[in-house]
Amino acid sequence: EVKKQTFILRKDLQFMNERRNRRLMQLVRHVHGLMDIDDTQKNRDSQDHLGSLYANDKKFIFTDNNPHNMHGEWTHFISDKESADNTDDTVIFYCHGGGYMTGSCLYARSLTMKLAKYTHHDVFCFDYRLAPEHPYPAALEDALAAWEHILTQGHAPQNIIVAGDSAGGNLALALTLTLRLKNMELPKCLVLFSPWTDMTASSESYQTKLMLDPVLDPDYIRKAASSYLAGSEETSPFVSPLFADLTGFPPTYIQVGENEILLEDSVQLHRHLLECNVFTRIDIFSNMWHVFQMTPIRTAREAILKVNSFLKHLP
């Protein structure tokens, strides 16, 4: 009788969780739909307005720091007491997402603030040039300029974590490839949230996750790729890092949602890194969507805590 009641209770809890997840996915789809504006500039402005709402949190200090002709900012979390985790010089170099068409330091605050808070590291983010006005390689050139900028400020590569979400994850990988090509010292590690790694848009998850993904669809991906590439080869490793030789890359941590069309971009990247003998780990979050870490839900907080755990246990 006890086993029967336990089984029924588990079934009830499972049903409640599934119903809650469906409502949450519907909400995410609705909110994303409100920002899915055909006018790219209006979309950028809407994202910046949303990001500016975070400026009133008194536990954070945002400091402008502009590399060359870009805007950049540092995010610092004011902890109640000095953390033992903050005894080194490690910082996070953050590449924001947005399909290379939108996004900014402001919009990325929903992630950079979480990273600063839960890893106890200051986070630097920068506004690289966006497509279609500035296609490839503009963003990559700006990422390299921003990297060189923080090096001149005394931050050593071995103390810099390069992180990014979506197109920012793509940019983080392309930047690391560029540093290796130039025989420059590589960062401490990479942290990638739902990275966009293959601009050919040919993975199976584009079809298998199509009806589940509340954020992305293949048409958006194709539009973003076309805007950024502007005729460049889509299989170039500097736009599709999945096709690169990743031998010698620093440790890489990947997070991805189970319900996103870019799932295979992360899974295949993880597999390719292993083939290249790179220390790597991937976490696939059940029922989650593209860059769910931006949203104010418990799973997002848990995900960032997993980032902190990864950083603490680097080889």
Side-chain angles (χ1 to χ4, degrees):
E1 182 64 28
V2 173
K3 288 183 178 179
K4 181 179 178 181
Q5 292 297 324
T6 301
F7 176 78
I8 293 173
L9 179 60
R10 286 176 177 171
K11 281 293 184 182
D12 287 344
L13 289 173
Q14 181 181 2
F15 175 75
M16 290 172 61
N17 286 334
E18 289 175 352
R19 187 170 61 179
R20 182 192 62 189
N21 286 334
R22 283 197 299 270
R23 288 200 302 265
L24 187 57
M25 296 285 281
Q26 290 171 354
L27 177 62
V28 171
R29 192 183 299 274
H30 175 69
V31 171
H32 180 73
L34 293 176
M35 298 189 65
D36 188 15
I37 304 169
D38 289 336
D39 188 315
T40 300
Q41 189 56 52
K42 286 184 178 179
N43 200 354
R44 293 170 184 170
D45 293 342
S46 296
Q47 291 180 350
D48 282 350
H49 175 70
L50 181 62
S52 67
L53 300 178
Y54 292 98
N56 296 323
D57 193 325
K58 302 304 181 184
K59 292 185 178 180
F60 293 87
I61 297 174
F62 303 103
T63 306
D64 287 346
N65 193 289
N66 301 329
H68 302 285
N69 296 319
M70 285 175 282
H71 169 255
E73 72 174 22
W74 285 97
T75 299
H76 173 74
F77 175 66
I78 305 171
S79 58
D80 295 331
K81 58 182 179 179
E82 188 65 24
S83 170
D85 295 328
N86 199 23
T87 57
D88 59 26
D89 297 322
T90 300
V91 297
I92 298 175
F93 180 91
Y94 198 81
C95 306
H96 71 75
Y100 282 117
M101 299 186 297
T102 66
S104 65
C105 296
L106 272 177
Y107 188 54
R109 282 183 179 178
S110 59
L111 265 170
T112 56
M113 290 168 67
K114 288 188 181 81
L115 285 169
K117 180 177 181 179
Y118 294 115
T119 69
H120 305 284
H121 299 312
D122 289 349
V123 182
F124 178 75
C125 189
F126 57 101
D127 290 340
Y128 53 84
R129 287 170 291 170
L130 298 172
E133 300 94 326
H134 305 284
Y136 172 80
L140 182 53
E141 291 171 348
D142 290 349
L144 181 60
W147 173 265
E148 292 175 337
H149 172 74
I150 68 167
L151 292 188
T152 63
Q153 295 186 324
H155 299 284
Q158 65 267 22
N159 293 328
I160 303 175
I161 299 160
V162 172
D165 67 277
S166 193
N170 180 297
L171 187 57
L173 290 161
L175 171 63
T176 307
L177 283 169
T178 301
L179 296 176
R180 191 184 64 181
L181 180 66
K182 292 178 173 292
N183 294 316
M184 297 172 67
E185 193 171 351
L186 302 186
K188 179 177 184 176
C189 67
L190 302 182
V191 174
L192 310 174
F193 303 111
S194 301
W196 185 20
T197 66
D198 179 6
M199 289 202 181
T200 69
S202 57
S203 67
E204 290 184 3
S205 56
Y206 274 81
Q207 300 303 319
T208 59
K209 302 298 180 179
L210 178 60
M211 302 307 295
L212 293 173
D213 193 327
V215 175
L216 297 178
D217 62 64
D219 287 341
Y220 172 82
I221 295 295
R222 282 189 279 269
K223 176 183 177 182
S226 177
S227 294
Y228 184 59
L229 291 171
S232 297
E233 178 55 53
E234 62 185 9
T235 57
S236 164
F238 294 97
V239 298
S240 292
L242 194 60
F243 298 100
D245 177 7
L246 303 177
T247 303
F249 255 48
T252 301
Y253 178 44
I254 307 163
Q255 292 186 351
V256 65
E258 180 188 33
N259 289 351
E260 59 174 295
I261 62 174
L262 289 186
L263 173 61
E264 284 298 315
D265 278 50
S266 289
V267 172
Q268 292 182 34
L269 173 65
H270 177 250
R271 186 181 303 126
H272 186 36
L273 286 164
L274 290 175
E275 292 170 349
C276 293
N277 296 312
V278 176
F279 179 85
T280 181
R281 186 175 126 198
I282 186 171
D283 278 322
I284 302 173
F285 289 80
S286 177
N287 298 313
M288 290 293 107
W289 51 88
H290 187 63
V291 198
F292 66 90
Q293 298 87 344
M294 297 185 79
T295 52
I297 59 174
R298 183 176 63 183
T299 307
R301 175 179 177 274
E302 292 171 350
I304 303 302
L305 289 173
K306 283 180 175 288
V307 171
N308 194 44
S309 177
F310 174 81
L311 298 178
K312 286 183 176 179
H313 297 95
L314 286 172

